[in-house]
Structures are given as structure tokens and as C-alpha cells.
Amino acid sequence: MRAKHMTQRELADEAGLSEQALSNKLRGLKNFTLRDVSRMADCLEVSVDELLGHKTLEVVR
């Protein structure tokens, strides 16, 4: 969110969540659904892997 200069409220709105629901999920009180993760990645213009902190592996040929 910081890199995109988005507030939690803006991300929640764009991802179709309430601000409270997003807050609870970010604090670990509730679980993210696959739909939540996919929508958040779209809103932040990153891949789901990047959002989850997975590093991209380089293919060696």
C-alpha cells in the first residue's frame, strides 16, 4: 500500500471489502480468501506471488 501511496480505506474500497474487514485480516484476526488476495493484487498492480512475498525464480537455460 505504501509503494502505491494507498490508504487502507482506499485499498479496502477497491478490493470490495469494508475497512474493518481488511483491518481484521491484516491483523490476523480473520483469514483472507483467495478472492481477497486476487483483488488486492489487482488493486496494487502486483502478482499474487509478489503480494504473498514469494520471490520470482529465474529460469536458467
Side-chain angles (χ1 to χ4, degrees):
M1 289 185 302
R2 288 183 191 132
K4 295 291 181 182
H5 305 288
M6 291 182 88
T7 64
Q8 188 171 302
R9 173 174 279 160
E10 290 169 332
L11 179 57
D13 286 345
E14 287 192 37
L17 298 166
S18 70
E19 187 175 3
Q20 186 64 50
L22 180 58
S23 176
N24 287 340
K25 292 173 186 218
L26 291 172
R27 291 185 297 142
L29 300 176
K30 298 283 184 177
N31 292 323
F32 285 97
T33 65
L34 292 175
R35 179 181 278 180
D36 295 336
V37 173
S38 177
R39 286 181 177 178
M40 288 175 56
D42 287 345
C43 294
L44 296 170
E45 299 176 335
V46 298
S47 69
V48 170
D49 282 339
E50 189 176 351
L51 184 65
L52 297 176
H54 297 163
K55 299 196 183 228
T56 303
L57 299 176
E58 293 183 33
V59 176
V60 177
R61 295 179 190 204

